[in-house]
Amino acid sequence: IAVATARSESSAERIIRAVRPDVAITSGGAMVRCGDEIVAENLLGAEAANAMVARFLATEGIGYITYRTYLGYFVNREFDRTDVSWQDYENAQLVDLNQKIEHGLQKFVLEIPLNEARAIAADFPDAALIQYSGGDWVQFACKTATKWNGVLAAAKHFGIETGNIAAFGDDFNDVEMLEKCGIGVAMANAIPEAKAVANFVAASNDEDGVARWLEENIL
């Protein structure tokens, strides 16, 4: 059993602790942990990260800017820690973005108009831009930090053929994984792009879609 999420390991801890998966692919594929062993990391270098921060700070219309390194999760402004949407980020540290980043990043996640994000992405070819459905939140990460590459690393570690893997997803960062795994299952609430490449469409996340699909097709 694997969890593959755009969230960092710390912000997914509540789910990881409950599910206890064999594999945790976190930060969209920037880190892959099999049991207690980190088997792959795909990081954005510090030099590129600092250059991107300079562009972020010079761009109009940006809200929150967050990033994750092995030192923790950082955010550029205070947030409402009682807001349920931030419940898994309560350990976020405030950071002055004028200070240099000294370590490789798993990812940036920020609020920015999509047209501005695309303009920045065009100037940083080694960084991948991933859009989240709904709102102006986007992710920048190393181009090799994808859920599919995380699946490949885990499959190699355990000696499993990817054709024998079933993947479930609903958003832009799931599309490649759904298309390339042996069985791709999109949720009923998935974006059209995910449904288009999937082999099956399961019930929505609010209807226990993953569990119901497994009961009907595997168990």
Side-chain angles (χ1 to χ4, degrees):
I1 297 174
V3 172
T5 176
R7 288 180 174 231
S8 66
E9 190 174 52
S10 61
S11 63
E13 182 180 3
R14 179 168 51 92
I15 299 302
I16 291 172
R17 188 168 57 245
V19 177
R20 299 177 65 186
D22 302 287
V23 181
I25 300 167
T26 53
S27 292
M31 187 169 77
V32 183
R33 185 186 295 276
C34 297
D36 294 327
E37 182 182 356
I38 296 175
V39 300
E41 285 188 291
N42 299 284
L43 303 180
L44 191 64
E47 182 178 352
N50 285 306
M52 293 182 75
V53 166
R55 283 292 300 276
F56 297 157
L57 295 178
T59 301
E60 295 290 334
I62 283 190
Y64 287 105
I65 301 172
T66 75
Y67 66 85
R68 172 79 191 182
T69 75
Y70 80 94
L71 293 173
Y73 181 74
F74 300 89
V75 61
N76 67 323
R77 61 176 67 176
E78 187 56 86
F79 57 91
D80 181 0
R81 296 178 185 268
T82 66
D83 185 340
V84 67
S85 63
W86 287 89
Q87 67 174 326
D88 293 315
Y89 302 89
E90 61 183 12
N91 293 323
Q93 305 170 52
L94 287 176
V95 66
D96 179 359
L97 290 177
N98 291 306
Q99 296 179 349
K100 292 293 183 183
I101 296 169
E102 303 291 345
H103 308 282
L105 267 71
Q106 291 183 5
K107 62 177 181 175
F108 286 108
V109 176
L110 60 153
E111 283 182 305
I112 182 175
L114 186 56
N115 64 315
E116 297 286 0
R118 286 172 174 160
I120 293 172
D123 291 335
F124 292 91
D126 291 333
L129 168 65
I130 297 177
Q131 179 185 357
Y132 295 115
S133 57
D136 285 333
W137 287 91
V138 303
Q139 173 183 295
F140 284 99
C142 177
K143 271 197 168 179
T144 58
T146 67
K147 289 187 179 182
W148 170 241
N149 281 340
V151 169
L152 288 176
K156 180 179 179 180
H157 179 79
F158 286 110
I160 298 171
E161 295 291 332
T162 56
N164 294 326
I165 295 175
F168 301 82
D170 62 5
D171 211 342
F172 290 105
N173 60 0
D174 297 311
V175 170
E176 183 183 26
M177 180 178 67
L178 293 177
E179 183 177 20
K180 293 183 177 180
C181 282
I183 299 174
V185 185
M187 313 311 295
N189 54 290
I191 60 173
E193 291 86 346
K195 290 180 180 178
V197 301
N199 304 103
F200 298 91
V201 176
S204 76
N205 61 315
D206 289 327
E207 300 171 304
D208 296 328
V210 173
R212 288 170 58 181
W213 190 92
L214 290 172
E215 288 172 348
E216 293 167 5
N217 295 276
I218 303 296
L219 301 180

